[in-house]
Structure formats: C-alpha cells, structure tokens
Amino acid sequence: MKSTAHAVGHLLWAAWPPLLTVLVICVIWGLCHYVFEIPAYLVPTPLAVGQTAWESREPLALGGLRTALTALAGFGVAAIGGVILGAMMGTSRMLTRGLYPITTLLQTVPLVAIAPLLVVWFGYGPPSAIAAAAIAAIFPVIANTVDGLRSVDPGLSELFSQLRAKPGQRWRLLALPSSLPGIITGLRIAAGLAVIGTLIGEFVGGYSGENASLGMIILSAMRQSRTDLVFAAVGFAAVVGFALFGVVNAAGWLLLHTWHPSAQGGGSLAAWK
Amino acid sequence: MTQSRRSDGACGLELSAVSAVFAAGGGCTGVSLRVAAGECVAVVGASGCGKTTLLRIAAGLLAPQTGKAQCIDAAGQPLPLASARISVCFQDPRLLPWRRALGNVELPLALAGEARAERRSRASAALATVGLQEAAAKRPHQLSGGMRMRVGLARAMVTDPQILLMDEPCGALDAISRRDINLELARLRQQTGTTMLLVTHAIDEAVMLADRVAVMGGSPGTLWEVIEIPPSLHESDAANGPAFARLCVTIHEALVRVRQGAP
C-alpha cells in the first residue's frame, strides 16, 4: 500500500511540470490566435481541437488502438530481430563486416521511399505498416546490441576464461547481462521510431473508413481541410508513442534498477547538479 | 617445506625459463621458479617488471613464448597445467555487478555445472570463512572495497583450489582491510595447505605469508634472487618482533640493489 501511494506521488511529482508546460503553450497559442486572427483552417484554436477530440473520441480511440497494436507488433519484430542480428554481429567479425553496412544503408534510405514497395509486398492494412515500423525501429536495436556486446569488461572476460567457461555459459552469464543496458537504450529509441514508422506505413497503405487507423484519419482529415481533426489525431498519436516508450522504460527499470547506475538515478550526470 | 593437508593430491607449480615479452615493453624473460606443493612464494619487484605476466602464465591465461609452465604433484612429478584446480585473485575483485555477493561466489561452481543446492551451500560456507555471511544478499556496489576483495577471495576459495594465484590482492585497500585479508590468507593456508603464488608490492605482506620471497627486476623482468623466510616469522605475533623487521629491511635492500642493476 505504502509503495503504491509512493508511486502515485512520484507520478504526480513527475507529471506536473510537463502538464504546466502544455497549459502555458495552449494559453500562448490561444492568445496568438486571438491577436493575429489566424484562420481556423490553418491553425485551429486549442479549444476547437479539444472539442473535436471529444466529439470524435470513438473513431480516434479505436484508430489509436489500431495504431498502437500495429506499432507494438512492429516494435516486437524490431526488438527480437534487432537483438538476434546484433548478437550475431557482436559475436562474429565476418558477419559484422557483411551485415553492418547493409543495415546502415537501410537506415539511410528514407522510409517514405520504400513504404510503397512494402504495400506491394505485404498488401494494404496492418502488415505493411508493421513492416514499416520494424524497418524504422530496428537499426538502434542492432547498433546498441553490437555496442553492448563489444563493451564487455575485459577483466570479467579474462575471469571467465580462467574459470574455463563454455561459449554458451559465457553468452548467458556474461555477454547478455553486460549488454542489457545497451539493448534497453536501443529499445527506448526504437519505441518512438516504431510509432513514426507505423504512421508512415498507414499513410501509404492504411485502410480508410470504418477500420481507419490514426495515420489514415490524419490523411483523410487533411484532404477535407479538417485541421482541427488533424491536430486531435496527432495528439492521440503522441499519446500512443508516449505509452509505448513508457512501457519500455518501465521494463528497463525493472531489469536494471538493482545493479546498473543508469537506472538508479545516480549516474555520473547526477554529480553535475 | 610442505604443509599440505590435502587428501586429493596436493599440487605445486613449476615455471621453467618462461618468457613473454611484449612489443609495447614489459613482460618477463627466462624466469624459473618452483613452488612446491603446499608452499607459498611471494614475488616482489618494481612496477612493470613482469610480475603480473608471470602470474598470468601460471594461470594458463598467457602461453609463454619460450619455456614451460606446469604443475607438479607432491613427489615433484610434472602434470599439465590444465589438470590442476587453479584459482586466481586478480588485482581488482572482478565481481559481476548484476549478481549478489553469494551469486558471485557461486559463479565458478555454476560454470563447473554443480547442482544449485550444492553450490549455494558451498558458497555460503566460503562467504562465512571470509566473515561476510551477512552481506550475502548485497550487490557489489553496496559493498566497500575491502568487502568486495573478500568476496573475490571467497570466490577463489569456493572451488577448494590446489593452487591459489594472487595478484596484489590488497593493492587497493587501506591498511586495516589489508591486515584483515592477510590474516585471513594466513589462516586459510594453515587450514587448507593450498599452494600459493602471491604477487605483491608490500614487503611486510610477503614476509608475513610466504615461505620464500622472489625478487624480480628489470624490463623485461628477470628473477634476481630468492630469500628464505624462517617459519617462526609466520607465528601470530612475529610481525611485531625485530627478526621480522630485519628481514623486511633485507628484502628492501635487495629491491634497491636490483633497481641499481647490481645483484
């Protein structure tokens, strides 16, 4: 009970400064609207956005849920695939030389350029959006896994040699835990990228009408010059991204807080305050 | 002097003219040193004279470029290095930060495939020998430097090693923690008769623990002389006596002669 109250207190303590910031921005935004007489089709007032969000809450929430599930699936593919690929590259120099440039290339080709191809391959609807999310999110997972595996403490590595550890044991008991902080960092970045990838995938190949996801809602609202609905849908997309990021962060904390300085609020940066 | 009380075959160490010289400098060359089963030999010398290199060769972590490192049984017959149970205490304790103290001590047993219950009870016993049973559930970052070193020592002892190699086990510790660990080592030796090779900077530590002290010097390092320590100096109150101090001075003078290049 005490810890629950503590957690709620901590959440409130963490939430009020960003909430205040949002409130201040809305006030300034409303004032600008009033003073400069900006037309509503360019930028709607915060109140109009709020009203539209409330009126369209059902399609927006359903669309948000679809987008969230798609992003989650894409994130899952990127997380599992990225850790496996990163692990392969972290173990073998030859594989790194063969695969790393290709993944970097994948990273530098704009997703919007390959999204139409994904629709051709995977068809309309969620599958192509999942693929887009996975492609957008996989690179940081690979890069951070490789980095984590390469930064295993050489002293500990020597200890495992002296104790005659088998390759499998070295993997399970040394390499994996050592690279966990890096993998978590990669997953945090991947969470945000997965939502961006999903939206791009939905722009190009999403369903419209009844089964519309957030990407399609944004696109069709744009075509109808419903700027207020675009704003509301973008707000929902931000919530989806924030939620996914929050889940990854919480999982990372659970795995690391007992031993890693990054999860104890006491890394080297704490000394800078 | 053989003090071994082991039932499973005591094991010594023989280094015959081993060399490992590095392109970047340092290492050791042509070192021959025999540590009989149950004996403790300390190696002293200036930084960079190849003490750690010698220890890594003895641990099988570094293959000598020339010469041979092998174990010897109680009768002095050679055995391959890999056939003996060798534990190493490194300069830093090298604990896994994600494992609790008990889990760290269990590590060598886990790698050897021991059953969970067996390794838990053996690790608890080893932690108790170094006086840390209360810290079993703590993680390394929650322990002091001296406690971490003791966890490292418990991990080295948990496999009941025939040979214990130590690289400045007390190098980073304050005087009181160092004294505690030295007493601990002396007691372990009395109890188990483990063969020990101790690399150290501290002359008093060498005299307190070792049967012989090997003085190394130069770069790449060579063995200059070996000084015998009378067993009477290992008694509990000997460290305060004049004989102990005289021997420390003798070793110190040897180190100074080595630095000036005149044996």
Side-chain angles (χ1 to χ4, degrees):
Chain A
M1 275 322 276
K2 201 175 170 187
S3 66
T4 319
H6 185 82
V8 171
H10 184 82
L11 201 66
L12 285 176
W13 177 82
W16 76 260
L19 284 178
L20 187 68
T21 311
V22 171
L23 195 70
V24 169
I25 290 173
C26 284
V27 168
I28 295 173
W29 174 7
L31 278 176
C32 288
H33 222 277
Y34 183 73
V35 173
F36 301 113
E37 295 176 352
I38 302 168
Y41 70 87
L42 278 185
V43 180
T45 62
L47 272 178
V49 172
Q51 203 175 359
T52 308
W54 179 250
E55 281 163 3
S56 313
R57 61 187 180 277
E58 212 165 302
L60 280 174
L62 275 175
L65 192 65
R66 285 188 196 107
T67 300
L69 290 176
T70 310
L72 195 65
F75 172 78
V77 172
I80 295 167
V83 169
I84 291 174
L85 279 173
M88 283 160 63
M89 290 185 215
T91 336
S92 149
R93 290 256 158 211
M94 212 46 222
L95 269 175
T96 314
R97 286 173 56 196
L99 286 176
Y100 210 72
I102 311 293
T103 51
T104 315
L105 203 70
L106 207 66
Q107 161 82 353
T108 48
V109 172
L111 189 57
V112 269
I114 35 176
L117 264 180
L118 297 176
V119 179
V120 174
W121 292 336
F122 297 101
Y124 282 89
S128 56
I130 291 174
I135 291 173
I138 200 166
F139 186 76
V141 184
I142 295 176
N144 281 287
T145 306
V146 172
D147 260 13
L149 286 171
R150 294 230 177 111
S151 55
V152 172
D153 183 338
L156 291 179
S157 195
E158 192 180 55
L159 172 74
F160 270 64
S161 301
Q162 198 273 316
L163 294 173
R164 296 174 196 158
K166 297 179 194 77
Q169 294 175 320
R170 190 180 276 272
W171 245 106
R172 196 162 44 85
L173 300 176
L174 179 63
L176 214 58
S178 293
S179 49
L180 200 58
I183 294 174
I184 299 284
T185 303
L187 292 180
R188 272 196 201 120
I189 303 169
L193 291 176
V195 178
I196 297 175
T198 303
L199 288 176
I200 292 175
E202 288 172 351
F203 282 165
V204 180
Y207 292 132
S208 52
E210 282 287 289
N211 294 325
S213 48
L214 282 184
M216 232 10 184
I217 292 175
I218 292 173
L219 210 61
S220 50
M222 279 247 303
R223 288 182 186 137
Q224 297 160 21
S225 298
R226 296 269 323 266
T227 322
D228 51 340
L229 189 55
V230 173
F231 269 78
V234 167
F236 270 70
V239 170
V240 169
F242 196 74
L244 192 54
F245 180 79
V247 169
V248 175
N249 238 359
W253 184 83
L254 278 177
L255 286 170
L256 298 180
H257 77 108
T258 50
W259 63 275
H260 199 256
S262 75
Q264 288 169 344
S268 56
L269 279 171
W272 292 13
K273 279 181 196 163
Chain B
M1 185 181 73
T2 302
Q3 292 192 335
S4 180
R5 283 176 266 304
R6 307 187 65 92
S7 54
D8 61 339
C11 219
L13 194 66
E14 182 159 47
L15 304 170
S16 328
V18 292
S19 299
V21 182
F22 307 113
C28 62
T29 181
V31 177
S32 292
L33 184 66
R34 189 186 172 95
V35 187
E39 196 186 19
C40 175
V41 172
V43 180
V44 298
S47 297
C49 73
K51 304 188 297 291
T52 298
T53 306
L54 196 68
L55 190 110
R56 293 186 66 219
I57 291 173
L61 288 167
L62 184 70
Q65 288 152 357
T66 60
K68 199 167 184 188
Q70 55 194 353
C71 292
I72 45 174
D73 63 13
Q77 291 305 307
L79 299 164
L81 212 52
S83 67
R85 276 197 311 281
I86 300 179
S87 278
V88 183
C89 254
F90 296 96
Q91 231 160 341
D92 47 334
R94 301 196 181 173
L95 304 178
L96 301 178
W98 52 87
R99 282 194 167 217
R100 298 174 194 277
L102 188 66
N104 268 293
V105 178
E106 275 181 42
L107 183 71
L109 304 174
L111 292 174
E114 290 271 2
R116 177 178 278 269
E118 167 74 9
R119 65 183 197 231
R120 187 129 295 186
S121 76
R122 278 175 70 181
S124 300
L127 266 184
T129 6
V130 296
L132 280 181
Q133 57 271 58
E134 261 110 70
K138 293 206 164 135
R139 289 204 161 69
H141 72 94
Q142 296 167 307
L143 302 172
S144 70
M147 287 162 102
R148 280 200 282 263
M149 214 61 229
R150 265 148 61 184
V151 174
L153 186 61
R155 181 183 60 198
M157 295 306 296
V158 77
T159 49
D160 188 25
Q162 291 161 306
I163 300 173
L164 179 60
L165 307 172
M166 288 173 287
D167 190 0
E168 293 179 41
C170 306
L173 298 185
D174 61 277
I176 293 172
S177 306
R178 217 185 78 189
R179 176 134 188 100
D180 281 353
I181 296 225
N182 284 344
L183 290 171
E184 202 71 59
L185 286 170
R187 202 175 49 76
L188 279 172
R189 233 193 119 213
Q190 282 292 316
Q191 278 178 1
T192 62
T194 304
T195 308
M196 293 184 183
L197 183 64
L198 168 72
V199 164
T200 183
H201 275 298
I203 295 171
D204 56 335
E205 184 172 280
V207 176
M208 189 172 154
L209 293 168
D211 301 312
R212 289 184 294 146
V213 175
V215 181
M216 281 182 76
S219 182
T222 49
L223 187 59
W224 286 66
E225 59 180 295
V226 177
I227 297 165
E228 296 273 342
I229 311 288
S232 60
L233 291 186
H234 294 153
E235 274 149 30
S236 56
D237 50 356
N240 301 321
F244 191 96
R246 266 200 302 278
L247 205 53
C248 287
V249 172
T250 307
I251 295 171
H252 183 78
E253 283 167 356
L255 281 168
V256 172
R257 275 201 307 279
V258 165
R259 195 167 64 180
Q260 289 163 349

Coordinates of all heavy atoms in Angstrom, one line a residue, chain A residues 152-166 169-170 172-179 255 257-260 264, chain B residues 56 59 61 81-88 90 92-100 107-108 110-113 139 141-142 155:
Chain A
V152 N 31.9 -5.5 -23.3 CA 32.0 -6.4 -22.1 C 33.4 -6.2 -21.4 O 34.4 -6.1 -22.1 CB 31.9 -7.9 -22.5 CG1 32.2 -8.8 -21.4 CG2 30.5 -8.2 -23.1
D153 N 33.4 -6.0 -20.1 CA 34.6 -5.7 -19.4 C 35.6 -6.8 -19.6 O 35.4 -7.9 -19.4 CB 34.2 -5.7 -17.9 CG 35.3 -5.4 -16.9 OD1 36.5 -5.5 -17.4 OD2 35.1 -5.0 -15.8
P154 N 36.8 -6.3 -20.2 CA 37.9 -7.3 -20.5 C 38.3 -8.1 -19.3 O 38.7 -9.3 -19.4 CB 39.0 -6.5 -21.1 CG 38.6 -5.1 -21.0 CD 37.2 -5.0 -20.5
G155 N 38.3 -7.5 -18.1 CA 38.7 -8.2 -16.8 C 37.7 -9.3 -16.5 O 38.2 -10.4 -16.2
L156 N 36.4 -9.1 -16.7 CA 35.4 -10.2 -16.5 C 35.6 -11.2 -17.5 O 35.4 -12.4 -17.3 CB 34.0 -9.6 -16.5 CG 33.7 -8.7 -15.3 CD1 32.2 -8.1 -15.5 CD2 33.8 -9.4 -14.0
S157 N 35.9 -10.8 -18.8 CA 36.1 -11.8 -19.8 C 37.3 -12.7 -19.5 O 37.2 -13.9 -19.7 CB 36.4 -11.0 -21.1 OG 36.2 -11.8 -22.2
E158 N 38.3 -12.1 -19.0 CA 39.5 -12.9 -18.6 C 39.2 -13.9 -17.4 O 39.6 -15.0 -17.4 CB 40.7 -12.0 -18.2 CG 42.0 -12.7 -18.0 CD 43.1 -11.8 -17.6 OE1 43.0 -11.1 -16.6 OE2 44.1 -11.8 -18.3
L159 N 38.3 -13.4 -16.5 CA 37.9 -14.2 -15.4 C 37.2 -15.4 -15.9 O 37.4 -16.6 -15.5 CB 37.0 -13.4 -14.5 CG 36.3 -14.2 -13.4 CD1 37.2 -14.6 -12.3 CD2 35.1 -13.4 -12.8
F160 N 36.3 -15.2 -16.9 CA 35.5 -16.3 -17.5 C 36.5 -17.3 -18.2 O 36.2 -18.5 -18.2 CB 34.4 -15.8 -18.4 CG 33.1 -15.6 -17.7 CD1 33.0 -14.6 -16.7 CD2 32.0 -16.4 -18.0 CE1 31.8 -14.4 -16.0 CE2 30.8 -16.1 -17.3 CZ 30.7 -15.2 -16.3
S161 N 37.5 -16.8 -18.8 CA 38.5 -17.7 -19.5 C 39.2 -18.5 -18.4 O 39.4 -19.7 -18.6 CB 39.5 -16.9 -20.2 OG 38.9 -16.1 -21.2
Q162 N 39.6 -17.8 -17.3 CA 40.3 -18.5 -16.3 C 39.4 -19.6 -15.7 O 39.9 -20.7 -15.3 CB 40.8 -17.6 -15.2 CG 41.9 -18.1 -14.3 CD 41.4 -18.8 -13.1 OE1 40.4 -18.4 -12.5 NE2 42.0 -20.0 -12.8
L163 N 38.1 -19.4 -15.6 CA 37.2 -20.3 -15.0 C 36.8 -21.4 -16.0 O 35.9 -22.2 -15.8 CB 36.0 -19.6 -14.4 CG 36.3 -18.8 -13.2 CD1 35.1 -18.0 -12.7 CD2 36.8 -19.6 -12.0
R164 N 37.4 -21.3 -17.2 CA 37.1 -22.3 -18.3 C 35.6 -22.3 -18.6 O 35.0 -23.4 -18.7 CB 37.6 -23.7 -17.9 CG 39.1 -23.7 -17.8 CD 39.6 -25.0 -17.3 NE 41.0 -24.9 -16.8 CZ 41.5 -25.8 -15.9 NH1 40.8 -26.8 -15.4 NH2 42.7 -25.6 -15.5
A165 N 35.0 -21.2 -18.8 CA 33.6 -21.1 -19.2 C 33.4 -21.6 -20.6 O 34.2 -21.3 -21.5 CB 33.1 -19.7 -19.0
K166 N 32.3 -22.3 -20.9 CA 32.0 -22.7 -22.2 C 31.3 -21.6 -23.0 O 30.8 -20.7 -22.3 CB 31.0 -23.9 -22.2 CG 31.6 -25.1 -21.5 CD 30.6 -26.3 -21.5 CE 31.1 -27.4 -20.5 NZ 30.8 -27.0 -19.1
Q169 N 27.9 -20.6 -21.8 CA 27.9 -20.0 -20.5 C 28.3 -18.6 -20.5 O 27.8 -17.7 -19.9 CB 28.8 -20.8 -19.5 CG 28.3 -22.2 -19.3 CD 29.3 -23.0 -18.4 OE1 30.5 -22.9 -18.6 NE2 28.8 -23.8 -17.5
R170 N 29.4 -18.4 -21.3 CA 29.9 -17.0 -21.5 C 28.8 -16.1 -22.0 O 28.7 -15.0 -21.5 CB 31.1 -17.1 -22.4 CG 31.9 -15.8 -22.5 CD 33.0 -16.0 -23.5 NE 34.2 -16.7 -23.0 CZ 35.2 -16.0 -22.4 NH1 35.1 -14.7 -22.3 NH2 36.2 -16.6 -21.9
R172 N 25.4 -16.5 -21.8 CA 24.3 -16.4 -20.9 C 24.6 -15.6 -19.6 O 23.9 -14.8 -19.2 CB 23.8 -17.8 -20.5 CG 22.4 -17.9 -19.9 CD 22.0 -19.4 -20.1 NE 23.0 -20.3 -19.7 CZ 23.2 -20.7 -18.4 NH1 22.6 -20.2 -17.4 NH2 24.2 -21.6 -18.2
L173 N 25.8 -15.9 -19.1 CA 26.2 -15.3 -17.8 C 27.0 -14.1 -17.9 O 27.1 -13.3 -16.9 CB 26.9 -16.4 -17.0 CG 26.1 -17.7 -16.7 CD1 27.0 -18.7 -16.0 CD2 24.9 -17.4 -15.9
L174 N 27.6 -13.8 -19.0 CA 28.4 -12.6 -19.1 C 28.0 -11.6 -20.2 O 27.6 -10.5 -19.9 CB 29.9 -13.0 -19.3 CG 30.9 -11.8 -19.5 CD1 30.9 -11.0 -18.2 CD2 32.3 -12.3 -19.8
A175 N 27.9 -12.1 -21.5 CA 27.7 -11.2 -22.6 C 26.3 -10.6 -22.5 O 26.1 -9.4 -22.7 CB 27.9 -11.9 -23.9
L176 N 25.3 -11.4 -22.3 CA 23.9 -10.9 -22.3 C 23.7 -9.9 -21.2 O 23.2 -8.8 -21.5 CB 22.9 -12.1 -22.3 CG 21.7 -11.9 -23.0 CD1 21.9 -11.6 -24.5 CD2 20.8 -13.1 -22.9
P177 N 24.0 -10.2 -19.9 CA 23.7 -9.2 -18.9 C 24.6 -8.0 -19.1 O 24.1 -6.9 -18.8 CB 24.2 -9.9 -17.6 CG 24.3 -11.4 -17.9 CD 24.4 -11.5 -19.4
S178 N 25.8 -8.1 -19.6 CA 26.7 -6.9 -19.8 C 26.1 -6.0 -20.8 O 26.2 -4.8 -20.7 CB 28.1 -7.3 -20.3 OG 28.7 -8.0 -19.4
S179 N 25.4 -6.6 -21.9 CA 24.9 -5.7 -23.0 C 23.5 -5.3 -22.7 O 22.9 -4.5 -23.5 CB 25.1 -6.4 -24.3 OG 24.5 -7.7 -24.2
L255 N 14.5 -4.4 -15.0 CA 15.6 -5.3 -15.3 C 16.9 -4.7 -14.7 O 17.8 -5.5 -14.4 CB 15.7 -5.5 -16.8 CG 14.7 -6.4 -17.4 CD1 14.8 -6.4 -18.9 CD2 14.9 -7.8 -16.9
H257 N 17.3 -1.8 -12.3 CA 17.4 -0.9 -11.1 C 18.2 -1.5 -10.0 O 18.8 -0.8 -9.2 CB 16.0 -0.5 -10.7 CG 15.3 -1.6 -9.9 ND1 15.1 -1.5 -8.5 CD2 14.8 -2.8 -10.3 CE1 14.5 -2.6 -8.1 NE2 14.3 -3.4 -9.2
T258 N 18.4 -2.9 -9.9 CA 19.1 -3.4 -8.8 C 20.6 -3.2 -8.9 O 21.3 -3.3 -7.9 CB 18.8 -4.9 -8.6 OG1 19.0 -5.5 -9.9 CG2 17.4 -5.2 -8.2
W259 N 21.1 -3.0 -10.1 CA 22.6 -3.0 -10.2 C 23.1 -1.9 -11.1 O 24.3 -1.6 -11.0 CB 23.1 -4.4 -10.6 CG 22.7 -4.8 -12.0 CD1 21.5 -5.4 -12.3 CD2 23.4 -4.6 -13.2 NE1 21.4 -5.6 -13.7 CE2 22.6 -5.2 -14.3 CE3 24.6 -4.1 -13.6 CZ2 23.0 -5.2 -15.6 CZ3 25.0 -4.1 -14.9 CH2 24.2 -4.6 -15.9
H260 N 22.4 -1.4 -12.1 CA 23.0 -0.6 -13.1 C 22.8 0.9 -12.7 O 21.7 1.3 -12.4 CB 22.5 -0.8 -14.5 CG 23.4 -0.3 -15.5 ND1 23.1 0.9 -16.2 CD2 24.6 -0.7 -16.0 CE1 24.1 1.1 -17.1 NE2 25.0 0.1 -16.9
Q264 N 19.5 3.9 -11.4 CA 19.4 4.2 -10.0 C 19.4 5.7 -9.8 O 19.5 6.1 -8.7 CB 20.6 3.6 -9.3 CG 20.5 2.1 -9.2 CD 21.8 1.4 -8.7 OE1 22.8 2.1 -8.8 NE2 21.7 0.2 -8.3
Chain B
R56 N 50.1 -14.5 -14.9 CA 49.1 -14.9 -16.0 C 49.6 -16.2 -16.7 O 48.8 -17.0 -17.1 CB 48.9 -13.8 -17.0 CG 48.2 -12.6 -16.3 CD 47.9 -11.5 -17.3 NE 46.9 -11.9 -18.2 CZ 46.9 -11.6 -19.5 NH1 47.9 -10.9 -20.0 NH2 46.0 -12.1 -20.3
A59 N 48.7 -19.0 -14.5 CA 47.2 -19.2 -14.5 C 46.7 -19.9 -15.8 O 45.6 -20.2 -16.0 CB 46.5 -17.9 -14.3
L61 N 46.6 -18.2 -18.6 CA 45.9 -17.2 -19.3 C 46.8 -16.7 -20.5 O 46.3 -16.0 -21.4 CB 45.5 -16.0 -18.4 CG 44.3 -16.3 -17.5 CD1 44.2 -15.3 -16.4 CD2 43.0 -16.5 -18.3
L81 N 49.2 -28.2 -16.8 CA 48.6 -27.1 -16.0 C 47.1 -27.2 -15.9 O 46.5 -26.9 -14.9 CB 49.0 -25.8 -16.8 CG 49.2 -24.5 -15.9 CD1 50.1 -24.7 -14.8 CD2 49.6 -23.4 -16.8
A82 N 46.5 -27.7 -17.0 CA 45.0 -27.8 -17.0 C 44.4 -28.8 -16.1 O 43.3 -28.9 -15.8 CB 44.5 -28.0 -18.4
S83 N 45.3 -29.7 -15.6 CA 44.8 -30.8 -14.7 C 44.6 -30.4 -13.3 O 44.0 -31.1 -12.5 CB 45.8 -32.0 -14.8 OG 47.0 -31.7 -14.1
A84 N 45.1 -29.2 -12.9 CA 45.0 -28.8 -11.5 C 43.9 -27.8 -11.4 O 43.5 -27.1 -12.3 CB 46.3 -28.1 -11.0
R85 N 43.3 -27.7 -10.1 CA 42.3 -26.7 -9.9 C 43.1 -25.5 -9.4 O 43.7 -25.4 -8.4 CB 41.4 -27.1 -8.7 CG 40.2 -28.0 -9.2 CD 39.1 -28.0 -8.1 NE 39.7 -28.4 -6.8 CZ 40.0 -29.6 -6.4 NH1 39.8 -30.6 -7.3 NH2 40.5 -29.8 -5.2
I86 N 43.1 -24.4 -10.3 CA 43.8 -23.2 -10.0 C 42.8 -22.1 -9.9 O 41.9 -21.9 -10.7 CB 44.8 -22.9 -11.2 CG1 45.8 -24.0 -11.4 CG2 45.5 -21.6 -10.9 CD1 46.8 -23.8 -12.5
S87 N 42.9 -21.3 -8.8 CA 42.1 -20.1 -8.7 C 43.0 -18.9 -8.8 O 44.1 -18.9 -8.4 CB 41.4 -20.1 -7.3 OG 40.2 -20.9 -7.4
V88 N 42.4 -17.8 -9.3 CA 43.1 -16.5 -9.4 C 42.4 -15.4 -8.6 O 41.2 -15.3 -8.8 CB 43.3 -16.1 -10.8 CG1 44.2 -14.9 -10.9 CG2 44.0 -17.3 -11.7
F90 N 42.5 -11.6 -8.8 CA 43.1 -10.5 -9.6 C 43.2 -9.3 -8.8 O 42.7 -9.2 -7.7 CB 42.2 -10.2 -10.8 CG 42.0 -11.4 -11.8 CD1 40.9 -12.3 -11.7 CD2 43.0 -11.6 -12.7 CE1 40.8 -13.3 -12.6 CE2 42.9 -12.7 -13.6 CZ 41.8 -13.5 -13.5
D92 N 41.9 -6.3 -9.1 CA 40.6 -5.8 -8.8 C 39.7 -7.1 -8.6 O 40.0 -8.1 -9.2 CB 40.1 -4.9 -9.9 CG 40.2 -5.5 -11.3 OD1 41.2 -6.3 -11.4 OD2 39.5 -5.2 -12.1
P93 N 38.7 -7.0 -7.8 CA 38.0 -8.2 -7.4 C 37.2 -8.8 -8.6 O 36.9 -10.0 -8.6 CB 37.0 -7.8 -6.3 CG 37.0 -6.3 -6.4 CD 38.2 -5.9 -6.9
R94 N 36.9 -8.0 -9.7 CA 36.2 -8.5 -10.8 C 34.9 -9.3 -10.5 O 34.7 -10.5 -10.8 CB 37.1 -9.5 -11.7 CG 38.3 -8.7 -12.1 CD 39.1 -9.4 -13.2 NE 40.3 -8.6 -13.5 CZ 41.2 -9.0 -14.3 NH1 41.1 -10.2 -14.9 NH2 42.2 -8.2 -14.6
L95 N 34.0 -8.6 -9.8 CA 32.7 -9.2 -9.5 C 31.7 -8.8 -10.6 O 31.8 -7.8 -11.2 CB 32.2 -8.7 -8.1 CG 33.2 -8.9 -7.0 CD1 32.6 -8.3 -5.7 CD2 33.5 -10.4 -6.8
L96 N 30.7 -9.7 -10.8 CA 29.6 -9.4 -11.8 C 28.7 -8.4 -11.1 O 28.1 -8.8 -10.0 CB 28.9 -10.6 -12.2 CG 29.8 -11.7 -12.9 CD1 28.9 -12.9 -13.2 CD2 30.5 -11.2 -14.1
P97 N 28.5 -7.2 -11.6 CA 27.7 -6.2 -10.8 C 26.2 -6.6 -10.7 O 25.6 -6.1 -9.8 CB 27.8 -4.9 -11.7 CG 28.3 -5.4 -13.0 CD 29.1 -6.6 -12.8
W98 N 25.7 -7.5 -11.6 CA 24.3 -7.8 -11.5 C 24.0 -9.0 -10.6 O 22.9 -9.4 -10.3 CB 23.7 -8.1 -12.9 CG 24.6 -9.1 -13.7 CD1 24.4 -10.5 -13.6 CD2 25.6 -8.9 -14.6 NE1 25.4 -11.1 -14.4 CE2 26.1 -10.1 -15.0 CE3 26.2 -7.7 -15.0 CZ2 27.2 -10.2 -15.9 CZ3 27.3 -7.8 -15.9 CH2 27.7 -9.0 -16.4
R99 N 25.1 -9.6 -10.1 CA 24.9 -10.7 -9.2 C 25.1 -10.3 -7.7 O 26.0 -9.5 -7.5 CB 25.9 -11.9 -9.5 CG 25.5 -12.7 -10.7 CD 26.3 -13.9 -10.7 NE 25.7 -14.9 -11.7 CZ 25.7 -16.2 -11.5 NH1 26.2 -16.7 -10.5 NH2 25.2 -17.0 -12.5
R100 N 24.4 -10.9 -6.8 CA 24.6 -10.7 -5.4 C 25.9 -11.3 -5.0 O 26.5 -12.1 -5.7 CB 23.5 -11.3 -4.6 CG 22.1 -10.6 -4.9 CD 21.0 -11.4 -4.2 NE 19.7 -11.0 -4.8 CZ 19.0 -9.9 -4.4 NH1 19.5 -9.1 -3.5 NH2 17.9 -9.6 -5.0
L107 N 29.7 -18.4 -8.8 CA 30.0 -18.5 -10.2 C 30.9 -19.6 -10.7 O 30.5 -20.3 -11.6 CB 30.6 -17.1 -10.7 CG 30.8 -17.0 -12.2 CD1 29.5 -16.9 -13.0 CD2 31.7 -15.8 -12.5
P108 N 32.0 -19.8 -10.0 CA 32.9 -20.9 -10.5 C 32.2 -22.3 -10.5 O 32.4 -23.1 -11.3 CB 34.1 -20.9 -9.6 CG 34.1 -19.6 -8.9 CD 32.7 -19.1 -8.9
A110 N 28.9 -22.7 -10.7 CA 27.9 -22.7 -11.7 C 28.5 -23.1 -13.1 O 27.9 -23.9 -13.8 CB 27.2 -21.4 -11.8
L111 N 29.7 -22.5 -13.3 CA 30.3 -22.8 -14.6 C 30.8 -24.2 -14.7 O 30.9 -24.8 -15.8 CB 31.5 -21.8 -14.8 CG 31.1 -20.4 -15.0 CD1 32.4 -19.5 -15.0 CD2 30.3 -20.2 -16.3
A112 N 31.1 -24.8 -13.5 CA 31.5 -26.2 -13.5 C 30.3 -27.2 -13.5 O 30.5 -28.4 -13.5 CB 32.4 -26.5 -12.3
G113 N 29.1 -26.6 -13.5 CA 27.9 -27.5 -13.6 C 27.4 -28.1 -12.3 O 26.7 -29.1 -12.4
R139 N 24.6 -6.5 -3.4 CA 25.2 -6.5 -4.7 C 26.6 -5.7 -4.6 O 26.7 -4.9 -3.7 CB 24.3 -5.8 -5.7 CG 23.1 -6.7 -6.1 CD 22.6 -6.3 -7.5 NE 21.7 -7.4 -8.0 CZ 20.6 -7.8 -7.5 NH1 20.1 -7.2 -6.4 NH2 19.9 -8.8 -8.0
H141 N 28.0 -3.1 -5.7 CA 28.1 -1.7 -5.5 C 27.6 -1.3 -4.1 O 27.8 -0.1 -3.7 CB 27.2 -0.9 -6.6 CG 25.8 -1.1 -6.4 ND1 25.0 -0.2 -5.7 CD2 24.9 -2.0 -6.8 CE1 23.7 -0.5 -5.7 NE2 23.6 -1.7 -6.4
Q142 N 27.0 -2.2 -3.3 CA 26.6 -1.9 -2.0 C 27.7 -2.3 -1.0 O 27.5 -2.1 0.2 CB 25.3 -2.7 -1.6 CG 24.2 -2.2 -2.5 CD 23.0 -3.2 -2.4 OE1 23.1 -4.4 -2.6 NE2 21.8 -2.7 -2.1
R155 N 35.3 -16.3 -3.7 CA 35.0 -17.0 -5.0 C 36.2 -17.8 -5.4 O 36.1 -18.9 -6.0 CB 34.8 -15.9 -6.0 CG 34.5 -16.5 -7.4 CD 34.3 -15.4 -8.4 NE 35.5 -14.6 -8.5 CZ 35.5 -13.4 -9.1 NH1 34.4 -12.8 -9.6 NH2 36.6 -12.7 -9.2

